[in-house]
Amino acid sequence: MISTNKRIGKRTVRFENPVSIIGRASIVGKTESEGPFGKYFDRFIEDDLWGEDSWEKAETKLFYETVRLAVEKCGLSEKDIDFVLGGDLLNQLIATGFAARKMDIPLIGLYGACSTITEGLSVGTMIIDGGFADYLVCCATSHFSTAERQFRFPLEMGSQRTPTAQRTVTGAGASVLTRGGNGPYITHAALGKVIDYGIKDANNMGAAMAPAAADTLISYLEDTKTTPDYYDAIFTGDLGILGKSILEDLLNEKGIKVKGILRDCGAEYFSKEQDAHMGGSGCACCATVLSGMIVPGVEQGLFKRVLVIATGALMSTVSTMQGESVPCIAHLICIEGEIE
Amino acid sequence: MISTNKRIGKRTVRFENPVSIIGRASIVGKTESEGPFGKYFDRFIEDDLWGEDSWEKAETKLFYETVRLAVEKCGLSEKDIDFVLGGDLLNQLIATGFAARKMDIPLIGLYGACSTITEGLSVGTMIIDGGFADYLVCCATSHFSTAERQFRFPLEMGSQRTPTAQRTVTGAGASVLTRGGNGPYITHAALGKVIDYGIKDANNMGAAMAPAAADTLISYLEDTKTTPDYYDAIFTGDLGILGKSILEDLLNEKGIKVKGILRDCGAEYFSKEQDAHMGGSGCACCATVLSGMIVPGVEQGLFKRVLVIATGALMSTVSTMQGESVPCIAHLICIEGEIE
């Protein structure tokens, strides 16, 4: 009905005004700093309490300090920032809410489980492109110890992890967006639908999330009339080793070739020796790799054009106990080094 | 830095393109239907399970059916809707996530506790005004029985409620937005900062939330250079009787007169005989009054111009057990019947 050339096809938003990622920061835990991506992160915390008296407060501090560092690194200060968009995995988003209490910035609280960072960057880019803010920050955090306690078993139990389990990343990743700038640019976004293939194993999130990633990616490729080889890399969030291989199968069935192009932040997050089973997970998995490695990679010309598809599993302990399967979602953004 | 006339002052967004609320629906519980607002709601459910086998599934159904009804009432169908923005109070937003599983529409999941509906409408209006969607739906839901179980005590315990307690509204309210249209129009939005005055009583949410409502309202009035009497009514979300009176005090201290203009959805939600202590609360409190009474009131000319400020308390049971106070947030929208 309304004609706008900001949408292409069914699902994809194309940004008319260049929106640049001008600041980014990532802070991670010690284990995370020892993994393959370790060298890309700004800093790591020596222990998982980080001087606080609970893990939840440490996670709150991760969110707060990462936003602060991202803002500082691009020469801005808190008063320049119009909105913080962010979220975490904790009930009622307490890491985000309590972190924002210390900031003099309006908060847009988001819940997309581990897809939160690209949900935030999609909405944030619309807000900037639409002219409603000059600068905003998108951030997502997660913490291994709070997530284990909340979703699985108390750490003190020393439970045996199942072979398909993933390790929640302790960390936070933040990006600062503005209109104009010299890139890297967010040029497209495709928000996800909730997809549920009936997986009921809360320790097999990768299998549950792969169909959601496939759904968003396939829609986006159709909308933009592009093929995977148009991108230097396609990063999914935290499918892990098994989930990534399921996604490859789902794409293959549709004749979509992603060999050598598809990478998963979770699958690569920890080394084999770190014994993290299927890999990393959590909001911070994609968020830290995005701000630590992917965005700088675009800036340095290592990638000309990448897709980032963070994936989220939307179950709770209550829904699992009530016998429900795991509904999942995946939000996609396209980041480019140069725009025509 | 970037000049845009879409922002006024420090906090307020002014929409340049008229964004209309063209559809709305509200479904509530039986108790809610018997209160003073009862006649305004589209329908009510006879019992709080609504044919489902858990309260959480009933809440999921409330979200789903309310979105469906809102879309249907304005003559659209699911395929016309570009995004659903919404949230609820449950851990990991399961009512919203599981409801969206049945919809073929991308989801933007939000968490602002009981402020969710105006968070959604603020962000939703930016998305529409920016040209990123033709139609979208904003919805928020809550359920007395799921909220009691999650935040307080199992209902079966029959716990005595404290004098400052409020009753979580069972229901859901949804609005459909589009660009253009004949109103009612969302003309301004002011997103909230997280404000914490140190209240630690999880049964006194009104007192905790009043300072957040004051902060957002005062900023908005300063930004727009208006006074309360410029509006036919200013509705807060769910401060309840006590919280509303605290807000009046806070505004009085600043010389801002709201007598006869300030109303609180929560304070008016239940009659005295219904014994709901300080009144209604929950995401659905403001959401159902907004779509059931306020928006139709603007349409019928009963109100020319109103402010709606939904308020949220961002604590969890974990933060309360860790001795934390309750950080709060309030998001404001201005709805007008006519635009210049």
Side-chain angles (χ1 to χ4, degrees), chain B residues 299-315:
Chain B
E299 199 171 55
Q300 292 152 23
L302 302 174
F303 307 118
K304 228 174 89 182
R305 188 184 290 117
V306 295
L307 300 181
V308 183
I309 313 167
T311 44
L314 303 174
M315 86 294 176

Side-chain angles (χ1 to χ4, degrees), chain A residues 115-238:
Chain A
S115 72
T116 299
I117 193 65
T118 48
E119 180 184 351
L121 288 166
S122 300
V123 174
T125 306
M126 292 192 227
I127 291 176
I128 294 281
D129 182 53
F132 306 109
D134 290 337
Y135 298 100
L136 58 79
V137 184
C138 301
C139 184
T141 185
S142 57
H143 192 297
F144 172 71
S145 306
T146 65
E148 287 297 306
R149 165 149 75 192
Q150 179 177 282
F151 289 109
R152 296 177 191 94
F153 297 102
L155 286 182
E156 294 80 354
M157 274 180 67
S159 300
Q160 180 84 10
R161 299 167 68 75
T162 68
T164 54
Q166 294 174 235
R167 185 185 164 95
T168 304
V169 165
T170 298
S175 297
V176 182
L177 303 185
T178 195
R179 213 163 169 211
N182 302 312
Y185 303 102
I186 297 181
T187 58
H188 299 76
L191 276 293
K193 294 178 183 172
V194 177
I195 306 288
D196 189 338
Y197 266 33
I199 303 282
K200 291 195 176 188
D201 179 359
N203 284 304
N204 194 356
M205 294 291 94
M209 296 189 294
D215 178 72
T216 302
L217 177 58
I218 291 168
S219 295
Y220 173 82
L221 293 174
E222 281 172 7
D223 286 348
T224 55
K225 297 184 176 58
T226 58
T227 49
D229 57 9
Y230 183 64
Y231 304 92
D232 293 320
I234 298 174
F235 286 92
T236 45
D238 58 349

Side-chain angles (χ1 to χ4, degrees), chain B residues 128-143:
Chain B
I128 293 281
D129 182 53
F132 306 110
D134 290 336
Y135 298 100
L136 57 80
V137 184
C138 300
C139 184
T141 185
S142 56
H143 192 297

Side-chain angles (χ1 to χ4, degrees), chain A residues 53-80:
Chain A
D53 59 12
S54 77
W55 295 318
E56 286 76 13
K57 291 180 187 171
E59 187 172 344
T60 301
K61 189 170 171 182
L62 277 169
F63 189 106
Y64 178 77
E65 292 294 339
T66 305
V67 168
R68 216 173 60 91
L69 185 58
V71 171
E72 195 184 285
K73 278 175 69 180
C74 56
L76 297 172
S77 71
E78 195 180 84
K79 67 172 174 15
D80 300 313

